[in-house]
Amino acid sequence: MSSVKDFQYVDEQFADIQLLHYKVAGFEDLPLAKKELIYYLTEAALWGRDILFDQNGRYNLRIRRMLEVVYTESREEDRESDDYKALEIYLKRVWFSSGIHHHYGCEKFVPGFSSVFLRAALDKLPLNLLPLAEGQTLDEFCEEIFPVIFDPNIAPKRVNQAEGEDLLLTSASNYYRNVTQKEAEAFYESQKNPIDPNPVMFGMNSRLVKEDGVIKEKVWKSGGLYTEAIDKILYWLEKAVKVSENNAQQQVICKLIEFYKTGDLKTFDEYSILWVKDVASLIDFNNGFIESYGDPLGYKSSWESIVNYKDIVATRRTEIISENAQWFEDHSPVDPRFKKEQVKGVSAKVITAAILAGDLYPASAIGINLPNSNWIRSVHGSKSVTIGNLTDAYCKAAHGNGFMAEFAYSQVELELIEKYDSLTDDLHTDLHECLGHGSGKLLPSVSPDALKAYGSTIEEARADLYGLYYMADPKMVELGLLPDMDAFKSQYYTYMMNGLMTQLVRIELGNEIEEAHMRNRALIANWAFEKGKQSNIVELIRKNGKTYVKINDYGALRGLFGNLLSEIQRIKSEGDYESARVLVETYAVKIDLELHREVKSRYEKLHLAPYKGFINPKYELLKNEDGRVKDVIIQYGEGYTEQMLRYSRDYSSLPSIND
Ligand code: ZN
């Protein structure tokens, strides 16, 4: 097992998926008590895994377990067939999606192996290894399960959103049984009290069923549905309570325990409020029923967990920027009439993920804002985080995949990007978020909506330009945010390359640019390219039949960014709709078809997977002879299959059938 020092982001790719390892920087240096707390919380996270499989579809656990047995127990000579290899891919996709439907598109996977192959493989295996229902023969099992896998008309979508159909009867997710959409809506409508200012989130922690004509909730709690998994989670949360960092955090964990024990939604709200208020603790976590994307009606929450701690260094970066917000505003190149006299930066917390689980694993969000209860958000606020070590892993992966090598002009640019890109990307995002959007002011009587449909593109361009302009300021080095005056060039290069060329890979040939962030990048890059043409500041060069961006004068490019920032601030401050329209329509919408075709064909040859996921590190608790905790060690480098099989073996909490 590799240590952090010789850490490598070893990737694995299959179907439309690429897996990345992420690094939990600083874990080794945490005090023992904090490592211990993280360990208990990661165990609580891993024990919930089976819940999501069952939530995503009632046959998922049986299918996963059956496939795992075929995969691991098949004889060596049977593993060479194309069917076996296709089954392996299918199983990897089932692990990735926590079920038989695509994690993003929700459509059912089409198996690349035949039912004849699967049946023959099952026939060779001992029956006691297979997830048969009580008293079920193998014939009966296959009759029940095979159509779910092989018949495209059965359970085609996990979540169906098509208007006009019964969204519950046509969705394969396991949140409702024998209940029509009308019945479910009526059931929850009747519980709502329209004058309650603090409504709980009805239905978020239960399956709604109709049994003997009666509609009722089967609540996910200790003693209820999923009790086997929840009791394991509780066991580890109880251990976590004893090593919590402080009183506030202890209360948070105790409330969560109470909620898992009672299933009471008022308790969940109390827990959410305590959680939002705990901002002093280093370690933070979620463990429970959180997001409702998996329910077409939006009541039911899928299970997920993340354990994390504050990235002090990265959070300090956002704090430094915010503390100096006034200096930046005073020195910006915009007309003093449009500057704020008093400006306040926004600081957001950057966190390091220690484990991902449930609906955050292996595919994960990189930013999270919770809780979801509307009234709690408006009364008590929310916590917003960026998961720094995941964005870092994405960034590192982008370097190794041939993308930069294909599109960067020469070794000089590649070396700049290699050295600085991760740092400058984060810093640009921070400047954009913490300063850019908050800078400048409207002249009195100018409406904030004056730029209408062009408003969001202009606003994003303003924030990006603020970041680009200051990225090249000596102040960055002075504040310790960048190491030297070469670093900004990496950001300038990738920004121009993206805006002029590479972002086009996401657009269909023949279409125009529509999305506001993409328009803003095209606007800035095309404008700077045009304005710098005469002095040859930025060039598009043809080499071996391919087009490349070359920047000849980085200092002059900064000057151009400053000019455009000044102009865009004027447009915004004066509400100059016509100028906004001309800028956007001239520089941000149209695409050179020939260049577009070239960029797309170069990209396709790289065979990059559109979806990414993460492999967790592995933690081990070491004890002294007297039973006291000695250390918690972290290990990287576990393979995807290895990890999934280990989880299935060591954290298999639920029975195969949960009715
Ligand atoms: Zn923005």
Side-chain angles (χ1 to χ4, degrees):
M1 287 292 170
S2 54
S3 72
V4 173
K5 238 179 278 150
D6 44 78
F7 184 79
Q8 300 238 317
Y9 292 86
V10 186
D11 298 342
E12 173 167 352
Q13 202 166 327
F14 56 86
D16 55 357
I17 303 291
Q18 184 188 27
L19 284 148
L20 312 173
H21 289 81
Y22 64 94
K23 179 174 142 186
V24 188
F27 180 82
E28 283 92 343
D29 303 326
L30 293 173
L32 180 57
K34 298 209 195 297
K35 288 190 204 174
E36 197 180 341
L37 173 60
I38 289 173
Y39 177 79
Y40 297 145
L41 293 173
T42 61
E43 287 292 309
L46 294 174
W47 276 106
R49 178 173 181 251
D50 284 351
I51 295 176
L52 183 67
F53 274 85
D54 196 70
Q55 286 182 318
N56 281 344
R58 62 189 295 187
Y59 301 101
N60 282 338
L61 283 169
R62 270 179 286 175
I63 291 172
R64 186 192 87 198
R65 285 168 181 163
M66 169 190 69
L67 294 172
E68 284 170 352
V69 176
V70 174
Y71 178 66
T72 56
E73 302 296 319
S74 282
R75 276 174 292 186
E76 211 58 54
E77 63 267 27
D78 293 334
R79 296 185 183 203
E80 290 307 313
S81 70
D82 289 344
D83 278 301
Y84 181 86
K85 284 171 188 158
L87 179 136
E88 178 177 9
I89 301 288
Y90 184 86
L91 174 57
K92 285 179 173 179
R93 301 184 81 181
V94 168
W95 283 330
F96 194 90
S97 295
S98 302
I100 59 170
H101 299 87
H102 195 277
H103 73 289
Y104 192 80
C106 296
E107 73 280 5
K108 191 164 83 170
F109 297 133
V110 178
F113 54 95
S114 70
S115 56
V116 175
F117 162 81
L118 182 58
R119 182 59 209 247
L122 292 174
D123 279 331
K124 291 184 192 170
L125 296 169
L127 275 186
N128 64 342
L129 293 181
L130 295 172
L132 306 182
E134 193 144 324
Q136 199 173 35
T137 65
L138 183 58
D139 277 338
E140 289 163 350
F141 173 79
C142 293
E143 257 166 57
E144 187 184 9
I145 298 297
F146 276 30
V148 181
I149 299 175
F150 295 102
D151 185 342
N153 298 314
I154 292 179
K157 289 221 98 176
R158 177 166 58 84
V159 187
N160 181 26
Q161 300 278 19
E163 216 186 320
E165 297 175 21
D166 186 306
L167 301 184
L168 300 191
L169 300 180
T170 56
S171 292
S173 56
N174 197 14
Y175 294 119
Y176 303 87
R177 288 266 179 97
N178 309 321
V179 180
T180 66
Q181 181 178 349
K182 266 211 175 85
E183 288 169 331
E185 282 166 349
F187 182 87
Y188 286 114
E189 230 21 76
S190 74
Q191 299 194 356
K192 281 181 191 155
N193 172 1
I195 55 163
D196 184 357
N198 307 332
V200 298
M201 295 197 288
F202 290 109
M204 62 156 267
N205 66 333
S206 66
R207 182 191 293 157
L208 193 68
V209 301
K210 186 154 73 176
E211 285 175 355
D212 304 323
V214 182
I215 296 178
K216 59 180 180 189
E217 285 186 318
K218 288 192 168 175
V219 178
W220 308 321
K221 61 171 187 170
S222 179
L225 199 51
Y226 302 148
T227 184
E228 300 89 345
I230 288 170
D231 289 344
K232 291 287 189 184
I233 293 170
L234 284 170
Y235 172 85
W236 291 101
L237 289 179
E238 303 275 7
K239 283 188 171 281
V241 171
K242 298 195 184 105
V243 289
S244 50
E245 291 178 67
N246 53 52
N247 219 348
Q249 187 180 58
Q250 188 171 43
Q251 283 181 39
V252 171
I253 306 174
C254 288
K255 230 1 146 190
L256 181 60
I257 290 172
E258 189 188 327
F259 171 64
Y260 268 134
K261 284 182 175 169
T262 62
D264 182 71
L265 293 175
K266 276 255 181 265
T267 306
F268 184 71
D269 279 358
E270 288 162 21
Y271 153 78
S272 295
I273 294 163
L274 289 169
W275 178 78
V276 151
K277 289 186 173 161
D278 176 20
V279 286
S281 302
L282 182 78
I283 296 162
D284 203 350
F285 76 104
N286 296 107
N287 183 313
F289 307 106
I290 312 279
E291 306 286 4
S292 59
Y293 307 115
D295 173 8
L297 303 186
Y299 291 111
K300 311 292 171 192
S301 295
S302 61
W303 186 89
E304 70 180 39
S305 183
I306 177 173
V307 181
N308 65 81
Y309 53 90
K310 195 166 163 179
D311 179 339
I312 307 277
V313 176
T315 303
R316 181 72 198 124
R317 194 178 66 215
T318 64
E319 284 166 359
I320 290 174
I321 292 168
S322 292
E323 284 160 12
N324 289 278
Q326 193 65 52
W327 185 92
F328 290 109
E329 187 72 354
D330 294 345
H331 291 78
S332 92
V334 315
D335 189 315
R337 291 183 300 139
F338 309 139
K339 289 185 183 182
K340 268 195 182 129
E341 294 80 17
Q342 286 259 310
V343 60
K344 204 177 170 299
V346 182
S347 56
K349 186 165 87 163
V350 183
I351 60 169
T352 302
I355 204 103
L356 305 167
D359 231 353
L360 290 171
Y361 170 85
S364 174
I366 52 171
I368 302 179
N369 192 321
L370 288 174
N372 283 329
S373 161
N374 281 323
W375 80 263
I376 295 178
R377 293 171 72 87
S378 60
V379 176
H380 299 279
S382 65
K383 278 198 232 177
S384 187
V385 299
T386 304
I387 312 174
N389 56 335
L390 299 192
T391 57
D392 189 48
Y394 274 127
C395 194
K396 292 250 175 14
H399 287 187
N401 67 11
F403 181 83
M404 290 297 179
E406 172 61 37
F407 288 103
Y409 175 64
S410 75
Q411 202 54 35
V412 176
E413 287 80 8
L414 274 177
E415 275 164 23
L416 271 177
I417 293 165
E418 198 55 47
K419 188 166 175 192
Y420 298 115
D421 191 42
S422 175
L423 177 63
T424 55
D425 246 10
D426 286 347
L427 183 59
H428 186 252
T429 305
D430 293 341
L431 291 168
H432 175 118
E433 300 292 347
C434 301
L435 299 179
H437 282 307
S439 70
K441 67 171 181 191
L442 302 181
L443 292 182
S445 86
V446 169
S447 154
D449 304 322
L451 304 180
K452 296 182 198 142
Y454 300 106
S456 49
T457 296
I458 292 292
E459 177 55 24
E460 291 307 321
R462 204 172 67 87
D464 261 4
L465 285 163
Y466 207 92
L468 287 168
Y469 179 78
Y470 277 117
M471 186 70 77
D473 198 293
K475 187 80 176 174
M476 288 294 127
V477 180
E478 188 191 306
L479 290 172
L481 296 168
L482 288 180
D484 53 50
M485 285 305 291
D486 273 335
F488 80 91
K489 294 176 186 170
S490 161
Q491 183 68 16
Y492 276 28
Y493 189 79
T494 53
Y495 197 96
M496 291 300 287
M497 183 181 85
N498 188 42
L500 289 172
M501 292 174 49
T502 50
Q503 72 165 349
L504 300 179
V505 303
R506 287 153 57 192
I507 296 176
E508 294 291 321
L509 267 187
N511 288 1
E512 298 188 322
I513 306 176
E514 286 177 19
E515 200 271 330
H517 292 83
M518 294 183 79
R519 281 189 165 187
N520 127 53
R521 292 181 206 120
L523 165 58
I524 293 172
N526 286 315
W527 187 93
F529 175 69
E530 280 296 318
K531 299 293 164 184
K533 228 175 194 169
Q534 237 178 354
S535 341
N536 210 21
I537 294 170
V538 183
E539 277 181 278
L540 280 176
I541 289 192
R542 298 281 296 171
K543 194 171 73 174
N544 304 327
K546 294 175 177 179
T547 310
Y548 296 90
V549 175
K550 182 161 182 277
I551 298 177
N552 295 314
D553 189 338
Y554 283 92
L557 182 55
R558 185 193 186 208
L560 292 177
F561 288 151
N563 294 346
L564 185 56
L565 172 59
S566 165
E567 169 63 1
I568 281 197
Q569 183 62 58
R570 181 197 66 74
I571 290 171
K572 170 112 185 166
S573 294
E574 295 179 351
D576 182 352
Y577 173 83
E578 186 50 24
S579 296
R581 191 189 65 78
V582 171
L583 260 189
V584 174
E585 294 295 345
T586 310
Y587 296 104
V589 179
K590 291 189 252 340
I591 302 173
D592 177 324
L593 188 62
E594 207 163 308
L595 181 65
H596 195 186
R597 193 174 282 132
E598 178 202 318
V599 169
K600 276 186 88 85
S601 104
R602 285 162 72 185
Y603 181 75
E604 272 154 25
K605 287 188 187 123
L606 298 171
H607 299 294
L608 300 179
Y611 301 101
K612 309 243 187 297
F614 295 97
I615 298 173
N616 280 322
K618 187 178 174 184
Y619 297 89
E620 196 182 336
L621 187 80
L622 303 181
K623 287 186 173 174
N624 286 317
E625 276 164 23
D626 60 7
R628 279 183 309 135
V629 174
K630 185 175 151 199
D631 200 0
V632 178
I633 53 169
I634 183 167
Q635 295 173 320
Y636 300 101
E638 191 174 27
Y640 174 67
T641 299
E642 207 183 335
Q643 179 152 94
M644 287 298 181
L645 287 174
R646 178 168 66 88
Y647 287 173
S648 292
R649 187 186 67 228
D650 294 351
Y651 299 95
S652 190
S653 52
L654 291 184
S656 291
I657 300 173
N658 298 274
D659 284 342

